Amino acid sequence: MKKLYFVMAALIVASLVLAACGGGAASGGDAIKVGEVTDLGGIDDKSFNANGWAGAQKAAEELGVEAKYLESTQQSDYAKNIQQFLDEDTNLIVTVGFLLGVDTATAAKANPETHFAIVDYAYPDCFDPAEEGKSCGSTTELPNVLGLTFQIDQAGFLAGYAAAGSTQTGKVATFGGINIPPVNAFMIGYEKGVMYYNEENGTAVEVLGWNTEANDGSFTGNFDSLDDGRSFAESFVQEGADIIMPVAGPVGLGSAAYCQESGACKIIGVDVDWTVSSPEYTDVILTSVLKNINVAVYDAIKAEVDGTFAGGIYVGTLANGGVGLSDVAGASDELKAGLDAVKQGIIDGTIATK
Amino acid sequence: MTNVLELRGITKRFPGVLANDKVDITLREGKILALLGENGAGKSTLMNILYGLYKPDEGQIFVRGQAVDILGPNDAIAQGIGMVHQHFMLVPVMTVTENVMLGIEPVKNGVFLDKEKVSNRIREISDQYGLEVDPNAYIRDLPVGIQQRVEIIKVLYRQADILILDEPTAVLTPQEVDGLFKIIDTLIKSGKSLIFITHKLKEVLAVADDITVLRLGKTVGSIDPKEATTDTLATMMVGRDVNLVVEKSPAKPGEPVLEVNDLFVRDERQQTTVQGISFEVRKGEVLGIAGVQGNGQTELVYALTGLLPLDTGTIQLTGKPLSHNSPREILERGVAHIPEDRQRHGLILSFPIHDNMVLCTYYKKPFANGISMQEKAIFSKSEELVKQYDVRTPNIYVNAGTLSGGNQQKVIIAREFSRPIELLIASQPTRGLDVGSIEYIHSQIIKKRDEGSGVLLVSSELDEILALSDRIAVMYKGQIMAVVDAASATKEQLGLLMAGVHPSESKNKK
Amino acid sequence: MKNTDTPEKKETKKITFPQEWLVPVLAVVTGLIVGAIVILVSGENPFVAYGALFEGSFGNPLDYVEGFKSFFTTGDTQLLLRAIYPFTESLVTATPYIFAGLSVALGFRCGLFNIGAEGQFFVGALTSAYIGYSLTGLPTIIHLPLAILGGALGGAIWGMIPGYLKARFGAHEVVNTIMMNWIAFRLSDWLLNGPMKSSGFRPVTPNVEVTAELPRFFPEPLRFNLGFFLALLFAYLVYWFLFKTTLGFEIRSVGANPDAAKYAGMNIIRNFVLVMFLAGGLAGLAGSAQVLGVDHWVGQGFSAGYGFDAIAIALLGKSHPAGVVLSALLFGFLRSGATDMQSIARIPIDIISIIQGVVIVFIAAPDIIRWLYRIRVKKAEDTVLTRGWGK
C-alpha cells in the first residue's frame, strides 16, 4: 500500500509541474486562432456543430488557422466555453445555435476586440418587451459579431418543387419540431415550391402539415423523440402523403425508419445531406435541404484571415452556395431541368420564395 | 480401523483473537465425530480451515494418513471432503438439478448442459440413501428439511466420503431432525465418515461415536458418548457447572393481561393459518405454546404484536381492547416482544448496538427531545444495559451484526426488558444459542414472570416449554388442541397433542 | 453516571472510518488510471491531459502567484480573479451535484432508489424560474427565498408522487420516478414553447429578476455564488436530519431493515412518502440553485444529466452527506476541468464520462477493487442500498 501512495503522490506532482508549464506552451504561434463552441448536440452531431467544424477544419488546412472546438454538455457551459476561448486570446469565436444568442452578445460587448460569428442567429435580436442581456442579446447590430443566417426558404422551395414533381399520390407533407422562424422557414419555402410546381404543370399536389397563411402546421413539440417522428409519418401516410419533410433534427430519423419499414414514403432531409449523415436510410431519402454552415463558417474565417471581417449579417443563399438542395433521387430529366430553371429564377429574383 | 481424517496442532490467529489454539481432532472411518462447543469456541474456524477457506498458521491436516495442504474448497473436494453449511448455499429459483450442477456443469455435444445425466445421478443418490428428493423440484418450493438434503446430495454428487455437517439441526423441526438422523445412519452404513458440529447435547449423545469438545479455541478433550451425560458435556463446553434445570417457584397468577378471543389470522400468502384461537395469559405466569413449527404459532405472535392484521377476533390487553392493532400501540401498552427471527425483526444488524438498544423507545424522553435525538442519554443507557445484561462486546459502537447469536439475543432482551412491561411475548427465544446463553435467557424470563409480568412463550423445543411454562397450550393446524397444567404434563402427552391426537382419542384407541 | 465515559470510547468507533472509505478512494484512483490508459491509447499524453484537467479545475499555480503579486503591488484584482476563475467554476459546477447527490443519498438511506432526480431538477428549475421572472418589484429578501422555496416545493411534489404511489399501491419507485422524468421533460418542452416562453422565437424562459438571483461574490465572468454555500448548509442539514433526529433514525431503520422498523412500530409507508418528498425537494433545489445562481434562464436541455450523475455521486459518497459533498466536488472538478483538457490537450470531453463510468463500476463491484489492491475484508457488513423488486 505504501508504494501505491508514493506512486500516486509522484503522479500528482508530475501533473502539477506539467500543468504549470503546459499553460504557456500551448498558446504559442502567431496563427489566427479560431474556436467553435458547440451547443448541446456535441461536435459529432452530424448536423450544425459538425458542419460548422467541417468549415473550420477546411480553413485550418487551406488558410493555416489554428482551429479548436469546445463541446457544451449543459446550458451553463456556453458562457464558460466562450470565456475559455477569450482567455486563450482567440481571434474569432464561432458559436453554434440560437441558444448561445445571449451569451455570445454579452461576451462580444465585453470584448470588442474579439470577433464572433454565430450560426443561425443575428443581431439585433431584442424586440419589445425583451430586455437586453437577459432574454435577448442586443438591441443594436454588434460591430464585432457576424450573424450567419440562411435564406433556407430558397432551398425549401426547391425541395417542395422536387417533392411535387416526384409524388405518386398527389400529396406531400412536412412537420416541424416547434413553430419558430428557423424551422418554419423550411416549410414556408416548401409549400411555395409545391404551389409553383402546380402552377407550372397544372397539377394539384396538396401540402399537409403546413399552411403559410395560417402560419401554423404540424409540430412535435420537441427535437428528440424518434417515436414522434414515426407516428407523425404514419399518420401522414394514412392521409395519403408519400413524401415527408421532417424539420425537427433527429426526430426525422424516426420518420425515415417508418418509411423504410413500410415502403410507403420518402423523406426529404434537412440541414445536411442525410445520405451522408444517415446512410442507412439512403433508399428512402428523396433529397436533402442543405444549410451549408460549413460554407458560411469558412467564409467568416477567410474574412478574418484576410482582415476584412465585419460585423453584421451573412445571408446564405442559393447564389452564394450557403443553402442548396442535394441531388434528387430518381428525378426525371424533365424534373432536373425544372429544378435548374427554378434555381436560376430564385437567384435572379424572378421567383419569390417567401 | 483407520483414521480418515486427522487435524494436528491447528493454530489460527486473527487480529486480536486466537481462534484455534493447537487443536487436535481425529475422525475414524465409518464413524460420526461430534464436534461440540459454544458459539465462538472455534468450531467454524476449524471447519473453514479444513475446507480450505482459511490457511492455518500452524498445524497439519492428514487425510487417510497422508499429510495434505488444502488451499481451497476445490482441494477439499478433491480429497473427498464435503461440507453442508448451516446457511444453505442454494439458489431458490432454480431446480434441485440445477443447484447440484452449479459449478461443475456437465455438457453434451460441447455446449448443451446435460441436465438429464445430473438428474439421473440425483435419483440414484436419493434412492441409495433414502433422501426422497425430486430432482425437478424448485428449491423455493421445498421445506427446509428437504433443502438440507439437497445440500447433502450436492456433497455426495461430488463424491465426498468425509462429510461435515455444520449445525445441521439448528433449522429443523423435531420430525425433520429424526429424518436427518436416519439419513446419517444410511450414510454411515454405506461407509461414509461424518463430522457433526453442534451445541445440542442430547443430539450428540443420540448419534455420535466420538465426541470432541472445544472451548475458547482449544481442545478441551474427547469423551466416549457412553460415559457422557448432558451435564458432563455442558460442563466441558462452558467450563463450569451449568444448571440445565430452570429453578422456579410456583406461579402466582393474577389478573389476565392478555385475552385472545376467537382469533383468525391470514399469513403473508393469504392462507388462514390461525383458525379461531382463544386463550388468556395472566400476570405472573408463563403460558407456553407448544407445537411443531408451522402450525400457526408464528402468525399468532405476529398478530399479537401487530406485524400481521387480524382477520376476525379480538385482543384485549390489561382488560382494554386494542384500537388499531399497530405495533406502536401494542408496544406502548406494555408488550415486550422477543421475535422468532432476531435478525429479521429484532435487530438492525448494520446499526450500532446503541441504536438497537433504543429501537422501540428512540422517540421518547430521555432519548429524544422533540425530534432531536439525545445521544448522551442513549449512550449511557446502552452502556448500562450492556453491563446489566452481560452483552459481550468491545463497546456499544460496534454494529449488532458483529455480535454472536447469543449476544444479539441479549441485546434484544436488554432492550425489551428495559421498559416497563405488562406482557412478554417470547418466540423461540433460545433457538440456535449455546448452553450458557440459554441458561441466562431462561433465568431472565422467569425473573420477569416473578416481577409480575405475564409471559407468552412460543417454542418448538418441548424441553424449553416444559422447563419454563406454568400452563401449556398445544397448537395444531392453527388451533389450540388443549391447554394443560405444566406440572402434570408429560412429553408423551404433549407429543400426541402436537401430532393432532386428543388424549381422549388415544385412550380410546388403547 | 460513572460508566458513561463516552469520549474515550468514541475513538474506537472512528478508527473504522478510513477502511470504509478506502474503496471509493481507490475506485477514483483506478478510474483516473484507466482514463490515462484510454488517453494514451488514443495517442495523447496523459500527463499533459491530466495537467490540463488539474489546471482547468484548480487553476494554474503560476497564475495564482502572478495574481497575488499584482494584487499586492498594484491592488489590481484582475489577474487574481483570472487565477481563481477555474477553481470557482469548479465549485459552481459542483453545486447542483451536491444537492442532487443528497437527494439520491437520502432515498438510498430509506431503501428507495430515486432515479427521478433529473425530473425533479427540471421541475425545481422551472418553478424557480417562473417565480423569478413573473414576480416583479419584490425586494431580494422576499423574492429570492420565495424562488428557492418554490423550486424546492416543485421538486418535492414531483418526488412525492412516486412516493405516494409506492405507499398506496406498491408501485415500484424506480419505474415511477423514470415515468415522472419523462413527464417532466415533455412538460418542460411544452412550457418553454408556450406559457413560459420569453419574447422572441427561442424556446427559453425570460431571465429571472435581479432580486431573485443568488448573489455572486465576484464580478463577471466569475459565476461563483451563494448557491455553493447553500448546498453545504443543506448537506449539514441532511446529516443532522439523518443522524441526529428521530425522523432520520426512522428513515435509516426503514432503509436498513424494514421488518425491524415495522417491529419497532415505525410507519414504513409514511417514511417512504416523507423521504421521496424531501429527496424531490433537494433535487428541486439543485435546479433552483442552477437557474438562480448560474444561468438565470431555462432553455431546452437545461440539465446535463445532473439527476443521473447524482446516483453515481450518492454511491461514491456511500450515501453519507459528507461523502456526497466530497464526491460532488470531485465530479465538479472533473467536469469543470474538462474544458481546459479539451482546449489545451485536445482530449474529448467524453473521457470524463469514461472516468466516471469506471469509478461507478468499481463502486458497484467493490470486490474488484479489493482484489486489485489486495484489501482484506474485515467483516462484510454491507449497507443495504435498495430493496429488490419483490417488496
Side-chain angles (χ1 to χ4, degrees):
Chain A
M1 286 305 290
K2 269 186 186 155
K3 265 185 200 161
L4 187 79
Y5 289 133
F6 178 76
V7 171
M8 275 165 55
L11 283 176
I12 290 170
V13 170
S15 301
L16 273 171
V17 170
L18 276 160
C21 314
S27 53
D30 305 328
I32 298 273
K33 284 194 257 178
V34 176
E36 174 182 330
V37 179
T38 77
D39 68 6
L40 302 177
I43 196 69
D44 46 8
D45 64 348
K46 296 179 178 173
S47 185
F48 283 25
N49 295 309
N51 218 355
W53 180 234
Q57 276 177 308
K58 187 176 170 217
E61 268 169 41
E62 295 181 3
L63 310 173
V65 300
E66 187 189 322
K68 275 188 196 181
Y69 65 83
L70 286 176
E71 287 185 273
S72 306
T73 57
Q74 60 196 45
Q75 185 175 313
S76 55
D77 281 349
Y78 302 150
K80 184 166 183 252
N81 286 336
I82 293 172
Q83 186 61 40
Q84 177 75 26
F85 280 137
L86 288 170
D87 287 345
E88 292 175 18
D89 300 325
T90 306
N91 303 75
L92 173 64
I93 299 174
V94 179
T95 57
V96 180
F98 57 74
L99 283 171
L100 283 83
V102 178
D103 290 318
T104 303
T106 310
K109 281 184 273 189
N111 300 275
E113 299 303 313
T114 308
H115 291 157
F116 291 82
I118 179 164
V119 173
D120 231 15
Y121 205 70
Y123 303 98
D125 61 339
C126 288
F127 309 97
D128 207 42
E131 194 186 338
E132 186 176 276
K134 300 211 141 200
S135 51
C136 63
S138 178
T139 49
T140 56
E141 204 170 287
L142 293 165
N144 57 334
V145 184
L146 180 64
L148 306 178
T149 63
F150 301 88
Q151 212 172 338
I152 200 65
D153 46 298
Q154 293 189 342
F157 189 97
L158 287 180
Y161 189 91
S166 306
T167 177
Q168 305 290 318
T169 60
K171 286 183 183 172
V172 299
T174 181
F175 66 88
I178 48 179
N179 191 358
I180 54 175
V183 169
N184 63 31
F186 283 87
M187 303 159 85
I188 292 169
Y190 185 72
E191 191 194 24
K192 278 266 180 171
V194 173
M195 295 307 155
Y196 185 81
Y197 183 90
N198 286 343
E199 271 171 42
E200 293 281 288
N201 297 283
T203 52
V205 178
E206 269 183 69
V207 177
L208 306 179
W210 177 252
N211 184 329
T212 305
E213 243 169 79
N215 192 34
D216 201 7
S218 300
F219 293 93
T220 54
N222 67 73
F223 287 95
D224 55 19
S225 168
L226 270 64
D227 279 346
D228 282 355
R230 173 178 289 271
S231 59
F232 271 62
E234 195 173 354
S235 60
F236 280 135
V237 167
Q238 273 165 11
E239 288 175 52
D242 64 345
I243 291 167
I244 300 162
M245 181 177 75
V247 194
V251 176
L253 295 178
S255 306
Y258 171 76
C259 288
Q260 197 168 49
E261 283 160 30
S262 66
C265 45
K266 298 267 186 206
I267 293 294
I268 295 175
V270 294
D271 295 336
V272 292
D273 187 342
W274 281 21
T275 60
V276 176
S277 66
S278 308
E280 67 273 28
Y281 294 121
T282 301
D283 57 320
V284 292
I285 291 166
L286 179 70
T287 180
S288 298
V289 184
L290 305 176
K291 191 182 266 189
N292 292 323
I293 292 165
N294 50 340
V295 174
V297 169
Y298 179 84
D299 287 353
I301 296 172
K302 187 157 193 322
E304 177 71 33
V305 173
D306 296 344
T308 58
F309 183 93
I313 298 174
Y314 162 97
V315 182
T317 59
L318 286 175
N320 65 13
V323 300
L325 189 75
S326 68
D327 289 345
V328 180
S332 62
D333 290 341
E334 196 189 339
L335 180 59
K336 277 182 193 161
L339 280 168
D340 284 342
V342 170
K343 183 175 173 186
Q344 200 50 51
I346 294 172
I347 293 172
D348 296 346
T350 53
I351 299 174
T353 57
K354 283 200 257 205
Chain B
M1 189 166 296
T2 52
N3 295 337
V4 285
L5 183 70
E6 255 184 275
L7 272 64
R8 279 195 216 140
I10 300 289
T11 300
K12 178 70 190 172
R13 292 181 200 89
F14 290 115
V17 187
L18 195 57
N20 284 153
D21 186 6
K22 300 195 184 68
V23 174
D24 299 314
I25 63 168
T26 305
L27 174 62
R28 295 184 291 154
E29 183 161 20
K31 297 290 176 190
I32 301 170
L33 168 69
L35 194 58
L36 199 59
E38 287 203 286
N39 289 332
K43 296 172 302 199
S44 297
T45 308
L46 192 64
M47 289 306 114
N48 283 330
I49 287 171
L50 184 52
Y51 204 54
L53 296 171
Y54 294 148
K55 203 173 167 298
D57 296 325
E58 288 164 34
Q60 184 62 51
I61 301 172
F62 297 89
V63 177
R64 292 177 203 84
Q66 300 288 314
V68 292
D69 281 331
I70 297 178
L71 301 174
N74 289 335
D75 286 357
I77 291 165
Q79 295 291 343
I81 299 171
M83 181 117 144
V84 175
H85 296 271
Q86 182 179 2
H87 301 289
F88 303 150
M89 315 275 179
L90 297 171
V91 186
V93 294
M94 288 186 168
T95 64
V96 171
T97 305
E98 286 163 343
N99 269 284
V100 169
M101 65 201 282
L102 262 185
I104 47 163
E105 301 89 349
V107 287
K108 57 183 173 191
N109 304 336
V111 280
F112 299 105
L113 292 174
D114 196 350
K115 280 193 197 174
E116 208 163 318
K117 190 174 148 197
V118 182
S119 60
N120 287 337
R121 180 81 189 112
I122 292 173
R123 268 195 204 94
E124 280 170 37
I125 296 171
S126 178
D127 291 347
Q128 188 183 350
Y129 300 102
L131 296 174
E132 292 169 35
V133 172
D134 173 10
N136 299 318
Y138 283 90
I139 297 295
R140 56 161 186 243
D141 299 333
L142 298 177
V144 174
I146 305 291
Q147 289 189 18
Q148 186 172 56
R149 294 180 189 184
V150 177
E151 284 283 3
I152 294 175
I153 286 176
K154 267 167 73 177
V155 169
L156 294 174
Y157 182 85
R158 287 159 176 74
Q159 296 175 330
D161 49 16
I162 300 168
L163 278 73
I164 303 164
L165 305 181
D166 188 7
E167 302 274 6
T169 60
V171 289
L172 302 183
T173 64
Q175 280 80 358
E176 287 173 333
V177 170
D178 290 343
L180 176 66
F181 286 171
K182 278 196 196 109
I183 292 165
I184 289 178
D185 207 38
T186 346
L187 288 170
I188 294 299
K189 281 195 182 121
S190 62
K192 310 278 180 193
S193 315
L194 249 93
I195 297 179
F196 188 99
I197 302 170
T198 187
H199 56 251
K200 290 192 183 169
L201 307 176
K202 287 182 183 163
E203 288 171 2
V204 171
L205 293 175
V207 299
D209 298 307
D210 301 299
I211 300 172
T212 297
V213 180
L214 290 184
R215 187 173 73 234
L216 300 173
K218 290 186 181 134
T219 324
V220 179
S222 295
I223 188 167
D224 187 336
K226 288 181 207 96
E227 294 160 11
T229 65
T230 49
D231 282 334
T232 54
L233 289 177
T235 308
M236 282 174 82
M237 259 168 78
V238 183
R240 59 179 165 83
D241 284 341
V242 176
N243 192 355
L244 288 176
V245 183
V246 184
E247 281 176 22
K248 59 171 186 157
S249 53
K252 303 181 195 83
E255 305 285 296
V257 279
L258 172 70
E259 291 159 273
V260 175
N261 201 1
D262 205 23
L263 193 69
F264 283 80
V265 182
R266 274 184 290 180
D267 66 10
E268 281 153 349
R269 289 194 213 92
Q270 300 303 317
Q271 305 288 318
T272 304
T273 43
V274 175
Q275 303 181 343
I277 279 187
S278 306
F279 64 88
E280 61 174 33
V281 179
R282 292 166 174 279
K283 284 188 174 187
E285 73 160 356
V286 177
L287 175 68
I289 296 206
V292 177
Q293 186 74 33
N295 274 286
Q297 302 98 312
T298 304
E299 289 76 15
L300 172 65
V301 170
Y302 283 180
L304 293 178
T305 52
L307 293 174
L308 272 179
L310 313 180
D311 238 11
T312 56
T314 57
I315 299 172
Q316 291 207 350
L317 280 174
T318 56
K320 286 179 289 268
L322 292 170
S323 61
H324 47 275
N325 192 44
S326 72
R328 175 72 37 106
E329 185 197 6
I330 292 167
L331 279 168
E332 303 227 317
R333 293 276 294 271
V335 176
H337 178 198
I338 301 172
E340 175 182 329
D341 188 338
R342 61 178 157 266
Q343 302 203 334
R344 181 178 163 199
H345 286 113
L347 293 168
I348 299 180
L349 297 179
S350 56
F351 278 15
I353 292 174
H354 59 75
D355 279 349
N356 277 292
M357 283 292 190
V358 295
L359 195 60
C360 301
T361 47
Y362 64 92
Y363 58 95
K364 287 188 165 173
K365 287 198 178 211
F367 306 126
N369 190 1
I371 63 161
S372 167
M373 293 191 80
Q374 304 297 309
E375 284 187 339
K376 262 190 187 165
I378 294 170
F379 291 161
S380 67
K381 184 70 179 178
S382 301
E383 298 275 8
E384 186 190 318
L385 289 173
V386 160
K387 273 195 190 126
Q388 190 184 336
Y389 288 88
D390 191 30
V391 182
R392 304 278 170 83
T393 170
N395 57 51
I396 59 165
Y397 308 106
V398 300
N399 288 346
T402 62
L403 299 181
S404 69
N407 281 307
Q408 289 181 353
Q409 194 73 329
K410 282 181 188 171
V411 170
I412 295 174
I413 286 170
R415 174 184 73 216
E416 294 302 297
F417 288 6
S418 66
R419 55 201 164 90
I421 57 168
E422 304 277 349
L423 173 68
L424 166 65
I425 299 177
S427 191
Q428 317 290 358
T430 60
R431 176 180 282 177
L433 301 188
D434 53 73
V435 178
S437 303
I438 292 173
E439 183 191 20
Y440 180 79
I441 287 162
H442 282 177
S443 69
Q444 287 295 322
I445 290 174
I446 292 303
K447 196 173 150 214
K448 264 297 162 212
R449 180 200 75 163
D450 292 342
E451 285 169 16
S453 302
V455 178
L456 182 71
L457 170 74
V458 179
S459 176
S460 50
E461 305 244 358
L462 259 188
D463 292 329
E464 181 164 83
I465 293 278
L466 283 165
L468 296 178
S469 308
D470 300 308
R471 292 186 301 137
I472 300 171
V474 182
M475 269 185 89
Y476 176 73
K477 289 199 171 164
Q479 291 178 320
I480 290 182
M481 294 291 291
V483 181
V484 297
D485 193 9
S488 60
T490 64
K491 263 193 170 179
E492 291 67 33
Q493 177 197 12
L494 293 173
L496 282 171
L497 286 166
M498 283 165 71
V501 183
H502 270 291
S504 51
E505 290 172 27
S506 62
K507 267 172 206 156
N508 290 346
K509 275 175 194 162
K510 274 178 194 170
Chain C
M1 304 222 29
K2 274 163 203 139
N3 55 356
T4 58
D5 43 351
T6 46
E8 192 187 297
K9 294 202 170 165
K10 243 183 168 173
E11 278 180 358
T12 49
K13 174 185 169 191
K14 276 180 183 161
I15 284 171
T16 58
F17 228 55
Q19 163 87 11
E20 210 176 302
W21 292 93
L22 199 57
V23 169
V25 169
L26 289 177
V28 170
V29 172
T30 314
L32 289 172
I33 292 171
V34 172
I37 293 169
V38 173
I39 292 169
L40 202 63
V41 168
S42 64
E44 305 287 342
N45 183 341
F47 284 102
V48 173
Y50 282 156
L53 183 64
F54 181 87
E55 191 184 330
S57 46
F58 291 95
N60 189 324
L62 297 179
D63 285 352
Y64 278 97
V65 174
E66 288 300 314
F68 279 111
K69 220 187 259 171
S70 111
F71 176 67
F72 287 119
T73 53
T74 66
D76 180 22
T77 56
Q78 196 164 357
L79 281 177
L80 186 58
L81 287 177
R82 207 172 152 155
I84 63 168
Y85 172 75
F87 182 69
T88 57
E89 271 300 307
S90 298
L91 299 183
V92 167
T93 313
T95 303
Y97 281 137
I98 297 176
F99 278 119
L102 288 171
S103 164
V104 179
L106 188 63
F108 278 153
R109 282 285 174 182
C110 194
L112 293 170
F113 196 170
N114 178 21
I115 302 187
E118 184 77 356
Q120 294 146 15
F121 178 96
F122 259 97
V123 174
L126 288 168
T127 316
S128 281
Y130 183 75
I131 296 172
Y133 74 73
S134 65
L135 301 177
T136 52
L138 291 176
T140 300
I141 193 81
I142 295 171
H143 199 180
L144 178 60
L146 202 62
I148 293 173
L149 204 70
L153 202 65
I157 290 169
W158 216 253
M160 194 175 71
I161 295 169
Y164 174 78
L165 290 175
K166 182 180 177 103
R168 179 75 178 77
F169 303 107
H172 203 281
E173 78 278 4
V174 166
V175 176
N176 284 311
T177 49
I178 292 174
M179 294 303 162
M180 293 302 285
N181 280 347
W182 287 107
I183 297 174
F185 299 158
R186 292 290 161 258
L187 185 71
S188 74
D189 281 342
W190 176 71
L191 287 171
L192 293 174
N193 287 308
M196 290 179 70
K197 194 169 117 170
S198 117
S199 62
F201 68 84
R202 305 182 315 141
V204 301
T205 67
N207 276 47
V208 298
E209 294 288 312
V210 179
T211 49
E213 288 177 4
L214 282 163
R216 292 185 176 175
F217 300 115
F218 304 107
E220 288 277 341
L222 275 72
R223 302 188 286 185
F224 186 57
N225 62 76
L226 189 63
F228 178 72
F229 296 104
L230 264 183
L232 293 184
L233 173 70
F234 270 89
Y236 176 76
L237 284 177
V238 170
Y239 167 78
W240 174 79
F241 177 76
L242 270 177
F243 295 100
K244 305 289 172 190
T245 70
T246 55
L247 296 169
F249 185 75
E250 285 196 17
I251 287 165
R252 288 185 297 120
S253 300
V254 170
N257 184 346
D259 287 317
K262 192 175 177 193
Y263 160 94
M266 299 168 185
N267 188 333
I268 292 175
I269 283 173
R270 198 190 65 195
N271 274 292
F272 281 163
V273 179
L274 175 70
V275 164
M276 285 306 294
F277 181 82
L278 295 175
L282 286 165
L285 280 173
S288 187
Q290 187 69 1
V291 70
L292 300 177
V294 184
D295 287 312
H296 300 156
W297 53 280
V298 179
Q300 272 180 338
F302 176 70
S303 169
Y306 290 112
F308 301 122
D309 282 348
I311 298 166
I313 287 166
L315 286 172
L316 184 59
K318 296 216 144 198
S319 300
H320 191 286
V324 165
V325 169
L326 288 178
S327 41
L329 285 172
L330 175 78
F331 273 52
F333 282 107
L334 283 177
R335 281 280 169 205
S336 182
T339 306
D340 264 46
M341 194 169 79
Q342 240 193 130
S343 179
I344 295 173
R346 310 256 174 133
I347 305 288
I349 202 161
D350 307 299
I351 195 74
I352 298 300
S353 303
I354 293 177
I355 294 172
Q356 282 178 4
V358 171
V359 170
I360 300 316
V361 167
F362 286 140
I363 291 293
D367 286 346
I368 303 178
I369 281 292
R370 295 209 181 95
W371 169 77
L372 211 55
Y373 296 97
R374 308 282 186 276
I375 302 173
R376 279 279 172 82
V377 196
K378 290 197 304 187
K379 166 120 184 166
E381 201 63 63
D382 287 346
T383 31
V384 181
L385 285 176
T386 48
R387 304 272 128 214
W389 295 82
K391 297 221 169 171

